[in-house]
Each structure stands twice: as C-alpha cells, then as structure tokens.
Amino acid sequence: MGKSGQSLAQTVEEFIKISTSISTERDLNRLLNMIVTSARTLTHSEAGRVYVLDNTKRNLLLEVCQNDCIGEQQQCLKNPPLAFGDRQNTNNICVYAAYTGQLIKVSDIYRYSGFDFSDLYEYDQVNRYRTKSLLTVPLRNHEGITIGVLQLLNPRDPDSRKIVAYSDDMDSLVSAFASQAAVSLDNVQLIEKNRYLIEVLDHTNQILEML
C-alpha cells in the first residue's frame, strides 16, 4: 500500500474511532468540546469553535472556542443573531451556513469580501492572532434542521506545518463528521430536555403532596 493509501486508511480508522466516541457521550459540555477537538484532529486545524442554536431559534450561541496558539485566555467572538428584524443576517458566514446547509471554505479571509468578517478581524486584533483559512459547516439533525454550526480555522500541513487552505478532498470527510456530530448533539439535547422535564414534574408533585 502506498503512502496515500496508508494515509486514507489511517484517516478512515481515525474517523470511525472518533464517531464511536462522540456517539456514546451523554454530557452536553463534554460532547461539544469533543466535537471541536475531533474535527480539528481530522483536519489538522489549529483552531475551531462550535455554535448551538438557542432555545428562541434567534441566535447562534458560541459554546466552545479552541485555539492552540492563544489558549484559554482568548477573547472569543460574539453570538451572531440569525436576523435583524425581517432581514436574515446572511452576511455572517455561520448564519449563512445555518440557513443554506452549505459547507463553506475560504482560503484567506483578508482577501475575500463575500462575507462580513469584521468580527473575525476584531478577534484577531484582540488576541494578536491571524485567521487565514476557514471552513464552516452546519450541524443538521435527521430532519434536516440546523441545530448548530462548526467552524474550523487554519489547517496545517502535517509535514511542513505551514498553514494551508482546506482542500476539496476534505469536504466529504467533514460533512460526514458534521452529520454524525449533529445526531449526537440532537440526542444529548433531547436527553437534557427530558431530564429537565422530569425534574420539573418531580418538583411539582412534591408541592402538590404538601398541599
């Protein structure tokens, strides 16, 4: 087997291990961190973040923000609203991905004007960082409804360690991972919701028993 064949086999094996791992996690916070960490591992990304649709269905909430170059002290991004009044906020790349269901790659955000990257420019300035290459993919459940957005930054070539653009070869792998991650997230959110409802019901019953 050649080098490319070995690399493909290793990637597939790694993908299976990661998918199995996230599918068995039942803690929401740990799952979200695992999703970002795993996606970064698969794509050799320097940084990554995950947004989750809030209960009002009006905003994307930034839940996890990882960056090897900045660490835990980084100043993270603001939560983008899905719309301003009746106008969809599709100038924001994460919101655009959420609405369209599309995977979007940008090779250099400082040379691309299709989206409003002012929040990323501010993030770079505050954290003394340089975002270059970007990949954004929606997390859609089994009904095709967007429940979150995964964003990856600055992939490094495994050999040279230089920052490169996300290749088209990554699209299928990232899309498959995003689908698996969305299923796991959807399941854990349902478990959390059911647990909350049970707690409310138990509390209500305790009050009724005291009357």
Side-chain angles (χ1 to χ4, degrees), residues 13-139:
E13 182 179 359
E14 192 168 33
F15 176 80
I16 293 173
K17 288 181 179 179
I18 287 174
S19 296
T20 301
S21 179
I22 66 173
S23 67
T24 57
E25 180 57 60
R26 292 294 176 263
D27 180 85
L28 182 58
N29 290 330
R30 284 200 299 265
L31 174 62
L32 292 171
N33 273 283
M34 287 175 63
I35 288 173
V36 178
T37 301
S38 300
R40 291 177 56 211
T41 298
L42 286 172
T43 59
H44 307 288
S45 296
E46 188 173 76
R49 54 183 72 100
V50 65
Y51 296 84
V52 175
L53 190 65
D54 72 354
N55 292 331
T56 68
K57 314 299 183 187
R58 296 177 180 175
N59 301 280
L60 289 172
L61 302 182
L62 179 58
E63 296 290 354
V64 176
C65 192
Q66 299 177 0
N67 191 315
D68 287 342
C69 293
I70 303 175
E72 296 180 358
Q73 302 303 316
Q74 64 180 299
Q75 180 72 36
C76 289
L77 300 168
K78 298 176 182 178
N79 299 321
L82 294 182
F84 296 108
D86 296 330
R87 180 173 61 85
Q88 294 180 350
N89 184 26
T90 49
N91 286 331
N92 181 284
I93 192 171
C94 290
V95 175
Y96 183 88
Y99 274 122
T100 65
Q102 295 179 17
L103 180 151
I104 309 158
K105 301 192 299 288
V106 177
S107 59
D108 190 339
I109 67 168
Y110 287 90
R111 295 185 178 180
Y112 183 82
S113 59
F115 293 100
D116 179 4
F117 288 125
S118 57
D119 58 339
L120 290 174
Y121 299 155
E122 182 180 356
Y123 170 86
D124 284 357
Q125 183 177 15
V126 171
N127 292 290
R128 298 181 179 178
Y129 184 65
R130 176 62 158 81
T131 301
K132 184 177 181 182
S133 185
L134 194 71
L135 185 152
T136 306
V137 60
L139 302 178

